[in-house]
């Protein structure tokens, strides 16, 4: 496969993860390897161009147009990182242009600086952050004549390739006019100005590797000596021009593909958002039609994980509003079942039931179907409490201690739990030892993550960052109650009621006072079954996205590897 065939597959792989960014790097890689355009036997050889460069360098120094460059050659042999055409030459970067640093005058003297356009053009790396044009004329401020004179900033000619050497490494631009920089640059002033565009192209190609190999940890920087010694593949000048023109053409193609993909995603976003919005704020007259359309259309419209997350939230929203399954007049009303639970709670010996405030209409956040009732968590729970607060002894093996970090994604995660000895566990109060059917909910830090306690989890204990809802008199569907806790409405209320600055928390009193719509028990079971089916659909959508992304990534990897393979390998593969 050659580069042309590789580029012909753009449309197939444009949606692969980071495809456009990788294709841009691929184009630059082809450019510096001599694989982007055909070589021409009539071109002046790079070896002859190198002689002209040396003569022009000497002329510029003699004429005083260029300060004699410092000798930055370390004496090491030139490393040739990859093969290049026979008409090219490997040279050090400082053989092509002078490496020039920059400087900054004292910031304590404001008269060292001037407004843009009123002094000497001057750049810092920050001026190139987010800058997308190739040419740049000045930065956010100029140097005054005084500031330019007292600093080591050097005025460099139009066509200078500006390369940031720290904070961060690898921004590249070309000076549109004479310009100076601060010390965060190691710029290249080509001895032959016509080489400027190719030098800039090569520096963009080499920037990631230069950054990766830069010394330093918290503050990385490359010195002038390092930049000067960069191995540079020098093509004939005529081929440089053809390469630059091809790079411009292909980068323009990348821009168009990126824009087309952005437009396509925007349309999908609007359609998906509109479909979800109609479900989240349903019109009773059109709801069934809207729901059927959304469930049929969303698999095609849902192409990103964030869209599937929104779909999951919509499913929960519909579930707790009574919009997910039809009501059945034969179901025992929820109010009757709620009274039964309250009677059972009254018989408990260990704790006197709380007096629950009446729910006002102004507190209700939606209309509910016939047979539903509004309830407070204090009404259906035997007790809402939290775990121990005192320090506990920790051992390598023992009884797990579940904290807020161990309740996540609807699960109790024991892999990262600490352990306390059996003796210490036995000494804890019963409130610190959840039982099957209880619901855990995180109350400190990351608030609102919930999980249902199962027999297989026991024994374990909880600390004060986890609240536990005792549901030992409750015969309601725990899975439905967890759906309520996970719903956007409950999560929003939890967020509103959180307190604290450094560590957010919610009180168990506020948890108990929160209200939610409660359906008949039979409908709870139907809702849970429907949610399971729809969440399974979301799982399949996510799996399809992952599989599609992996396929596109493999195709992209294969095409890149094949396009960059040596010519003799490609010829051998073609012959087989």
């Amino acid at each position: 496969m050659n580069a042309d065939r590789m580029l012909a597959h753009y449309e197939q792989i444009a949606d692969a993860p980071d495809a456009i960014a990788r294709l841009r790097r691929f184009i630059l890689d082809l450019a510096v390897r001599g694989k982007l355009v055909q070589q021409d036997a009539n071109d002046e050889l790079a070896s002859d161009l190198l002689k002209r460069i040396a003569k022009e360098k000497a002329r510029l120094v003699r004429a005083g147009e260029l300060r004699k460059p410092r000798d930055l050659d370390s004496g090491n042999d030139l490393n040739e990182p990859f093969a290049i055409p026979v008409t090219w030459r490997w040279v050090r970067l400082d053989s092509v242009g002078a490496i020039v640093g920059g400087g900054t005058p004292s910031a304590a003297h404001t008269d060292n600086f001037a407004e843009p356009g009123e002094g000497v053009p001057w750049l810092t790396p920050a001026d190139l952050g987010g800058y997308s044009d190739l040419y740049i004329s000045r930065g956010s401020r100029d140097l005054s004549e005084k500031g330019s004179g007292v600093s080591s900033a050097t005025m460099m000619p139009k066509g200078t390739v500006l390369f940031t050497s720290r904070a961060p490494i690898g921004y590249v631009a070309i000076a549109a006019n004479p310009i100076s920089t601060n010390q965060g640059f190691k710029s290249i002033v080509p001895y032959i100005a016509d080489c400027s565009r190719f030098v800039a192209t090569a520096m963009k190609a080499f920037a990631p590797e230069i950054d990766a190999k830069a010394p330093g940890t918290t503050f990385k920087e490359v010195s002038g000596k390092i930049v000067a010694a960069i191995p540079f593949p020098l093509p004939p000048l005529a081929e440089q021009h053809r390469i630059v023109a091809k790079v411009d053409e292909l980068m323009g193609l990348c821009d168009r593909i990126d824009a087309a993909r952005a437009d396509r995603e925007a349309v999908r976003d609007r359609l998906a958002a509109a479909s979800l919005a109609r479900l989240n704020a349903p019109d009773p007259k059109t709801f069934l039609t809207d729901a059927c359309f959304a469930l049929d259309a969303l698999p095609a419209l849902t192409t990103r994980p964030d869209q599937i997350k929104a779909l999951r939230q919509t499913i929960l929203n519909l579930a707790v509003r009574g919009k997910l399954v039809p009501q059945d007049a034969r179901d025992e009303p929820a109010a009757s079942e709620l009274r039964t639970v309250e009677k059972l709670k009254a018989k408990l010996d260990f704790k006197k039931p709380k007096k629950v405030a009446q729910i006002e209409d102004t507190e209700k956040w939606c209309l509910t179907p016939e047979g539903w009732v509004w309830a407070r968590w204090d009404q259906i729970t035997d007790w809402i409490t939290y775990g121990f607060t005192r320090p506990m002894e920790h051992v390598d093996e023992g009884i797990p201690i579940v904290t807020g970090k161990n309740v996540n994604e609807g699960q109790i995660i024991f892999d990262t739990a600490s352990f306390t000895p059996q003796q210490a566990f036995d000494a804890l109060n019963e409130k610190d030892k959840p039982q099957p059917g209880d619901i855990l909910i995180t109350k400190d830090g990351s608030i609102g993550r919930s999980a249902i306690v199962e027999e297989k989890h026991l024994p374990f204990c909880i600390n004060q960052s986890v609240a536990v809802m005792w549901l030992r008199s409750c015969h309601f569907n725990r899975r439905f109650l967890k759906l309520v806790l996970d719903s956007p409405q409950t999560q929003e209320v939890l967020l509103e009621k959180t307190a604290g600055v450094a560590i957010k928390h919610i009180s168990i009193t506020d948890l108990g006072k929160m209200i939610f719509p409660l359906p008949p028990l039979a409908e709870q079971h139907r809702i849970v079954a429907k949610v399971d089916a729809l969440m399974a659909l979301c799982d399949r959508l996510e799996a399809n996205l992952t599989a599609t992304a992996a396929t596109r990534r493999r195709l992209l990897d294969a095409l890149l590897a094949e396009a960059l393979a040596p010519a003799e390998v490609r010829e051998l593969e073609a012959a087989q």
Side-chain angles (χ1 to χ4, degrees), residues 346-363:
K347 295 179 181 179
L348 293 176
D349 295 330
F350 77 94
K351 191 168 180 65
K352 184 178 180 180
K354 284 186 179 181
K355 184 177 181 180
V356 178
Q358 182 177 343
I359 297 173
E360 303 296 334
D361 288 342
T362 54
E363 296 180 80

Side-chain angles (χ1 to χ4, degrees), residues 7 16 23 45 77 100 110 124 171 181 184 201 205 265 270 296 309 329 349 384 421 443 516 521 530 537 560 562 569:
L7 297 170
L23 289 170
L45 296 176
D77 292 336
V100 181
T110 57
T124 70
Y171 289 157
T181 70
T201 298
E265 287 299 308
R270 288 196 297 272
D296 288 341
K309 181 178 180 181
D349 295 330
I384 301 178
K443 60 178 282 290
F516 66 96
L521 181 59
K530 187 66 173 180
L537 170 63
L560 293 176
E562 193 173 350
V569 173

Side-chain angles (χ1 to χ4, degrees), residues 27-37 46 49 53 82 84-85 88-91 93 96 134-135 159 161 172 174 188 190 192-206 231-245 247-248:
I27 292 166
L28 295 174
D29 203 6
L30 291 179
V32 297
R33 291 171 180 261
K35 297 188 176 188
L36 201 58
V37 299
L49 172 61
I53 289 173
F82 48 79
I84 56 176
W88 293 33
R89 281 285 303 275
W90 278 108
V91 296
L93 181 57
V96 178
L134 178 60
Y135 290 90
V161 178
V172 179
I174 298 176
I188 305 102
I192 291 182
D194 278 353
C195 292
S196 179
R197 283 292 310 276
F198 182 78
V199 171
T201 298
M203 295 308 291
K204 287 182 178 181
F206 299 150
F232 188 85
L234 182 68
L237 187 56
E239 188 173 346
Q240 290 185 34
H241 295 161
R242 295 197 300 274
I243 290 171
V244 166
V247 167
D248 287 346

Side-chain angles (χ1 to χ4, degrees), residues 199-234:
V199 171
T201 298
M203 295 308 291
K204 287 182 178 181
F206 299 150
E209 185 177 359
I210 295 171
D211 179 58
K213 293 182 178 179
T217 51
T218 55
F219 189 86
K220 297 170 68 174
E221 182 175 11
V222 288
S223 66
K225 181 174 286 189
I226 290 175
V227 174
I230 291 172
F232 188 85
L234 182 68

Side-chain angles (χ1 to χ4, degrees), residues 269-554:
D269 282 348
R270 288 196 297 272
L271 290 173
S275 297
L276 295 178
R278 294 187 70 163
L279 295 182
N280 284 319
D283 180 342
K285 296 179 181 179
T286 63
F287 176 74
L288 289 178
T289 302
D290 293 342
C292 291
F293 171 79
L295 293 176
D296 288 341
L298 282 172
L301 298 176
T302 305
T303 59
R304 297 196 314 273
D306 62 296
Q307 294 171 325
I308 297 176
K309 181 178 180 181
L311 177 56
R312 291 184 189 276
Q313 290 297 296
T314 297
I315 293 168
L316 294 178
N317 179 26
L318 296 173
V320 300
R321 293 161 68 99
K323 300 293 185 181
L324 206 57
V325 299
Q327 280 70 51
D328 189 332
R330 296 169 296 179
D331 292 342
E332 183 177 358
S336 173
E337 295 171 338
L338 184 58
R339 286 192 295 271
T340 300
V341 169
E342 289 172 340
K343 289 176 182 178
L344 291 172
K345 285 177 57 179
K347 295 179 181 179
L348 293 176
D349 295 330
F350 77 94
K351 191 168 180 65
K352 184 178 180 180
K354 284 186 179 181
K355 184 177 181 180
V356 178
Q358 182 177 343
I359 297 173
E360 303 296 334
D361 288 342
T362 54
E363 296 180 80
K364 301 172 183 177
W365 36 261
C366 72
L367 295 174
T368 52
E370 191 74 24
W372 288 46
V373 67
W374 284 90
R376 297 191 192 276
W377 286 99
D378 277 340
Q379 284 179 269
I380 69 163
T381 56
D382 301 320
W383 195 11
I384 301 178
T385 184
Y386 54 87
F388 61 81
T389 58
R390 66 181 185 275
M392 291 287 285
E393 181 183 353
H394 290 251
V395 293
D396 292 337
E397 293 184 4
I399 305 299
I401 301 172
V402 170
T403 67
K405 70 179 181 180
N406 304 115
V407 180
N408 203 359
E409 300 294 332
Q411 303 292 325
I412 304 173
I413 302 170
F414 291 98
D415 294 349
T416 56
S418 300
F419 298 92
T420 197
Q422 180 72 49
Q423 183 178 1
F425 173 78
D426 292 340
L428 289 171
N429 294 323
E430 286 304 308
K431 74 180 185 66
D432 304 324
K433 306 172 183 178
Q435 297 299 312
D438 293 346
I439 295 181
L440 305 184
I441 181 168
T442 56
K443 60 178 282 290
D444 296 331
S446 297
I447 295 168
R449 300 196 302 244
S450 63
I452 300 172
V453 179
E454 300 178 32
E455 186 71 42
K456 66 181 181 180
H457 296 146
L458 302 182
F460 70 91
C461 55
I462 57 173
N463 78 348
Q464 73 275 13
S465 66
V466 180
V468 56
M469 293 180 169
W470 283 31
L471 294 164
R472 299 167 196 187
S473 300
C474 177
H475 64 286
F476 294 132
N477 188 309
R478 267 66 168 178
R479 294 276 310 284
F480 175 79
L481 298 178
K482 186 180 182 308
L483 294 181
V484 173
L485 289 172
D486 293 342
S487 69
Q489 293 86 348
T490 298
Q491 293 295 314
E492 184 177 344
V493 173
L494 286 170
L495 185 62
E496 290 173 356
K497 292 183 177 295
T498 54
V501 179
I503 299 179
K504 299 291 185 182
H505 66 272
I506 186 169
S507 71
I508 57 173
T509 299
D510 283 338
L511 280 175
K513 290 179 178 178
M514 288 171 52
I515 69 170
F516 66 96
L518 183 68
L521 181 59
E523 188 172 345
Q524 292 177 33
H525 296 317
R526 295 196 299 272
I527 290 171
V528 168
K530 187 66 173 180
V531 168
D532 284 347
L534 293 175
M535 291 302 181
L537 170 63
C538 291
D539 291 341
R540 291 195 296 274
L541 289 174
E542 284 183 330
N544 288 341
L545 286 186
T546 301
T548 300
T551 299
R552 287 171 174 157
R553 186 184 293 110
R554 288 195 298 271

Side-chain angles (χ1 to χ4, degrees), residues 156-169:
M156 297 173 291
K158 173 182 177 180
T160 295
V161 178
L162 308 161
F163 182 80
T164 58
S165 55
R166 71 182 192 190
I169 296 169

